[in-house]
Amino acid sequence: MTSSSGSVPKGIFISQRSYALQILEDFGYLGCKPTSTPMEPNLKLTQESSDILDNPQFYRCIIGKLQYLTITRPDLFYSFNKLSQFLSASRVPHLKASQRLLQYVKESSGLGIFFSANSDVKLKAYMDSDWGAYQGTRRSTTGFYVFLGNSLISWKSKKHQTISRSSAEA
């Protein structure tokens, strides 16, 4: 990675490349066809979409291993969050979506977080909320990202316990 002036940027890069490759090997996806996006656009996952998996342990194991990977991979967080909502009753579309996420991990195994030594020490935070986007319960989700300079230092997403009646409530 080089900056616009051609010099190598100063800072710390944290990556879990070896762990990502180990996950792929554990599930037999080391030789899979990579994909450039973690989830199909406009994919609607529901609790009632199809038959329940015969072996939900496999799906749970994939999600469990990906959870640790999200520590240094915020690009996986949205897809991981969506897929982790179906751990109690996982179905075929959920498994297929998790397999696509593994294909994305194959494509992007070297990604991580870079903490620049040259950025301003300025705290910035961004927040967003969807209003009842989860079709099963109509509950809203709120998320935030916090940056110190240009470095991402914290992020979180949470589904609300109550149902909002307007976007202002969400």
Side-chain angles (χ1 to χ4, degrees):
M1 176 194 303
T2 60
S3 64
S4 59
S5 64
S7 64
V8 176
K10 294 181 180 177
I12 298 171
F13 178 70
I14 300 174
S15 173
Q16 292 178 295
R17 184 178 191 277
S18 61
Y19 180 66
L21 294 174
Q22 184 63 50
I23 291 172
L24 295 171
E25 185 177 335
D26 290 350
F27 293 113
Y29 274 74
L30 205 50
C32 74
K33 180 181 176 186
T35 186
S36 60
T37 57
M39 192 173 267
E40 288 182 33
N42 303 316
L43 179 65
K44 302 289 186 209
L45 296 172
T46 65
Q47 209 55 278
E48 299 81 28
S49 55
S50 69
D51 295 332
I52 292 179
L53 293 174
D54 293 334
N55 182 11
Q57 187 62 27
F58 182 69
Y59 178 76
R60 290 180 190 139
C61 195
I62 291 172
I63 300 305
K65 289 194 179 225
L66 288 173
Q67 180 176 14
Y68 184 69
L69 194 57
T70 64
I71 293 170
T72 58
R73 297 285 306 271
D75 59 319
L76 302 176
F77 194 70
Y78 175 82
S79 301
F80 167 79
N81 186 0
K82 287 296 181 191
L83 295 174
S84 66
Q85 296 176 26
F86 303 104
L87 290 172
S88 63
S90 31
R91 299 174 185 273
V92 174
H94 309 142
L95 180 61
K96 286 182 180 180
S98 71
Q99 291 167 332
R100 180 182 176 106
L101 190 51
L102 289 173
Q103 290 176 292
Y104 175 72
V105 168
K106 166 86 185 266
E107 170 75 16
S108 61
S109 62
L111 291 182
I113 297 178
F114 180 72
F115 297 100
S116 175
N118 300 327
S119 69
D120 297 334
V121 182
K122 198 181 256 184
L123 197 61
K124 296 180 277 186
Y126 302 94
M127 188 206 123
D128 196 10
S129 181
D130 68 6
W131 176 40
Y134 179 61
Q135 299 297 321
T137 62
R138 303 301 300 161
R139 294 189 335 198
S140 300
T141 304
T142 300
F144 68 83
Y145 289 89
V146 179
F147 292 83
L148 182 59
N150 295 327
S151 302
L152 180 65
I153 59 171
S154 181
W155 64 91
K156 182 178 181 179
S157 176
K158 182 178 180 181
K159 190 186 310 182
H160 294 218
Q161 294 298 316
T162 59
I163 298 171
S164 302
R165 288 182 271 172
S166 72
S167 57
E169 281 184 52

